[in-house]
């Protein structure tokens, strides 16, 4: 290995460790009795977050479209130690459901300490075929509902000195093939909530915003799409979920999980053609 490469890698490692050591410490007790709303919690990372919050003794509201599945998740939350667990079936692509869900949570719990926005509508894993209607629908489900719910919950979060947690993706910072509509919704989230982070800080707001950048996570829906298509490693949903919760509880502005997603984002602008080569060759694609 060349000396300059060694120096480069060593400085990246030092910078990384410095950031990790400065991370505020997490106290599980801080979540006992916390009033939490988690979206997209019928399956995947959202379901795992519900179980972790339950284990920490939180009061939980979960939502997604399938009420029958949510009911089972809520029951498991109670058995794991949640102080309260309610569910509400809702479609986040509709105009009124995002507000209705926040109202339900405020009504049931009397306020909110954490709003965890995590849901995504289903989207194909394929080359862009010109389906503008699907992309508009996905924007409603994955983006507009987020800003609507955040705005609706903000006064309560100000009162409780609460936190807004946004589950985003590496694909919200690095465009990737086969997911153009999905990538667009995640870029929109990063742009919007990045701007809101500045505005809240400038207003000395009580509310913290955490934007979570995830790499590939082993949920059913993700694995179904990439199985046999890519050899990118997938990380466990339960671990991703725990890291998101800790990031919110410690009021950190960003999470990168797994850690190397941060590294990929850093180097992509320094070596654009290498990055493009790697991205385009990490999929089995035969035209
Ligand atoms: N898995 C990954 O590899 C990965 C990578 C990076 C980032 N992320 C992010 O992590 C988050 C969770 O991903 P995941 O893999 O856990 O997703 P998932 O398993 O597909 O779960 C999506 C959740 O959203 C709900 N949902 C779907 N359409 C909805 C709608 N129209 N209205 C309301 N709820 C709806 C689903 O429940 P119903 O079907 O019951 O509605 C489900 O609970 C997402 O924000 C995703 O972008 C995931
Ligand atoms: C911030 O929190 C404090 C303490 O709870 C509260 O008195 C104050 O009104 C809050 N600020 C806003 C803008 O709501």
């Amino acid at each position: 290995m060349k000396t300059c490469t060694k120096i480069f890698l060593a400085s990246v490692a030092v910078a990384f460790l410095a950031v990790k050591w400065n991370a505020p410490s997490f106290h599980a007790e801080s979540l006992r009795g916390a009033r939490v709303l988690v979206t997209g919690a019928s399956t995947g990372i959202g379901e795992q977050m519900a179980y972790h919050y339950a284990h920490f003794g939180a009061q939980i509201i979960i939502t997604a479209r399938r009420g029958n599945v949510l009911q089972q998740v809520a029951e498991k939350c109670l058995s794991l130690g949640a102080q309260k667990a309610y569910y509400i079936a809702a479609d986040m692509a509709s105009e009124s459901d995002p507000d209705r869900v926040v109202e339900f949570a405020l009504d049931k719990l009397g306020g909110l300490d954490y709003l965890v926005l995590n849901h995504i509508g289903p989207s194909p894993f394929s080359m862009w075929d010109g389906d503008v209607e699907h992309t508009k629908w996905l924007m409603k489900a994955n983006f507009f509902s987020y800003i609507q719910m955040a705005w609706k919950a903000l006064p309560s979060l100000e009162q409780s000195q609460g936190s807004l947690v946004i589950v985003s993706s590496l694909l919200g910072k690095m465009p990737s093939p086969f997911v153009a509509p999905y990538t667009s919704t995640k870029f929109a989230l990063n742009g919007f909530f990045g701007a809101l982070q500045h505005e809240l800080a400038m207003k000395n707001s009580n509310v913290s915003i955490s934007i979570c950048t995830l790499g590939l996570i082993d949920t059913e829906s993700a694995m179904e799409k990439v199985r046999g298509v890519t050899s990118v490693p997938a990380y466990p949903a339960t671990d991703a979920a725990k890291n998101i919760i800790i990031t919110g509880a410690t009021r950190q502005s960003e999470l990168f999980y797994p850690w190397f997603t941060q590294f990929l984002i850093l180097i992509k602008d320094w070596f654009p053609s290498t990055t493009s080569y790697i991205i385009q060759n990490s999929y089995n694609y035969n035209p």
Side-chain angles (χ1 to χ4, degrees):
M1 202 186 281
K2 280 192 200 146
T3 313
C4 58
T5 315
K6 281 184 192 162
I7 293 172
F8 170 71
L9 290 176
S11 24
V12 168
V14 168
F16 178 72
L17 289 174
V19 170
K20 290 288 141 191
W21 273 324
N22 281 327
S25 56
F26 167 63
H27 302 287
E29 319 82 69
S30 70
L31 293 175
R32 185 161 306 280
R35 298 161 300 176
V36 182
L37 167 55
V38 183
T39 71
S42 61
T43 184
I45 299 166
E47 178 188 3
Q48 297 304 315
M49 287 197 281
Y51 298 150
H52 285 300
Y53 277 122
H55 182 76
F56 292 130
Q59 309 181 51
I60 313 168
I61 309 278
I62 54 173
T63 186
R65 289 168 304 178
R66 292 169 298 163
N68 56 333
V69 185
L70 288 171
Q71 185 181 359
Q72 290 170 8
V73 176
E75 278 166 14
K76 189 166 170 192
C77 285
L78 288 172
S79 74
L80 286 171
Q83 286 187 3
K84 290 179 184 169
Y86 298 101
Y87 69 93
I88 175 170
D91 180 358
M92 290 302 164
S94 92
E95 294 281 328
S96 54
D97 276 8
D99 281 352
R100 185 169 66 86
V101 169
V102 175
E103 278 159 13
F104 176 85
L106 296 177
D107 181 49
K108 288 285 180 206
L109 304 181
L112 273 177
D113 299 298
Y114 293 94
L115 172 60
V116 184
L117 298 175
N118 162 80
H119 64 275
I120 45 168
S123 191
F125 187 85
S126 58
M127 284 208 177
W128 168 243
D129 63 358
D131 193 347
V132 176
E133 281 313 310
H134 167 72
T135 309
K136 283 186 186 165
W137 176 85
L138 199 66
M139 271 289 177
K140 281 190 205 163
N142 292 10
F143 175 66
F144 288 112
S145 65
Y146 277 54
I147 68 178
Q148 203 176 330
M149 292 182 83
W151 190 248
K152 187 88 183 165
L154 213 51
S156 173
L157 294 172
E158 282 288 1
Q159 276 302 312
S160 65
Q161 304 185 297
S163 301
L164 179 58
V165 179
I166 306 295
V167 181
S168 191
S169 169
L170 178 59
L171 302 184
K173 296 197 178 244
M174 202 163 92
S176 212
F178 308 117
V179 287
Y182 171 77
T183 297
S184 317
T185 66
K186 292 298 185 185
F187 266 77
L189 282 180
N190 284 348
F192 185 92
F193 286 100
L196 196 62
Q197 261 175 345
H198 287 305
E199 293 181 3
L200 294 187
M202 290 163 79
K203 289 198 280 197
N204 293 320
S205 164
N206 287 336
V207 182
S208 71
I209 300 185
S210 302
I211 302 178
C212 303
T213 296
L214 304 184
L216 186 60
I217 309 299
D218 68 357
T219 60
E220 282 285 313
S221 66
M223 289 301 101
E224 192 176 283
K225 286 172 184 158
V226 304
R227 207 169 276 133
V229 179
T230 180
S231 53
V232 169
Y235 283 72
T238 178
D239 199 32
K242 194 166 183 180
N243 277 276
I244 295 167
I245 290 172
I246 291 173
T247 302
T250 53
R251 305 177 77 85
Q252 294 177 85
S253 59
E254 283 188 298
L255 165 71
F256 295 93
Y257 178 91
W259 67 272
F260 61 77
T261 53
Q262 183 168 23
F263 183 67
L264 292 175
I265 293 161
L266 281 176
I267 62 167
K268 79 172 169 55
D269 291 336
W270 297 348
F271 308 104
S273 50
T274 311
T275 313
S276 293
Y277 179 86
I278 294 170
I279 290 174
Q280 288 161 26
N281 289 281
S282 61
Y283 299 95
N284 296 325
Y285 177 71
N286 303 301

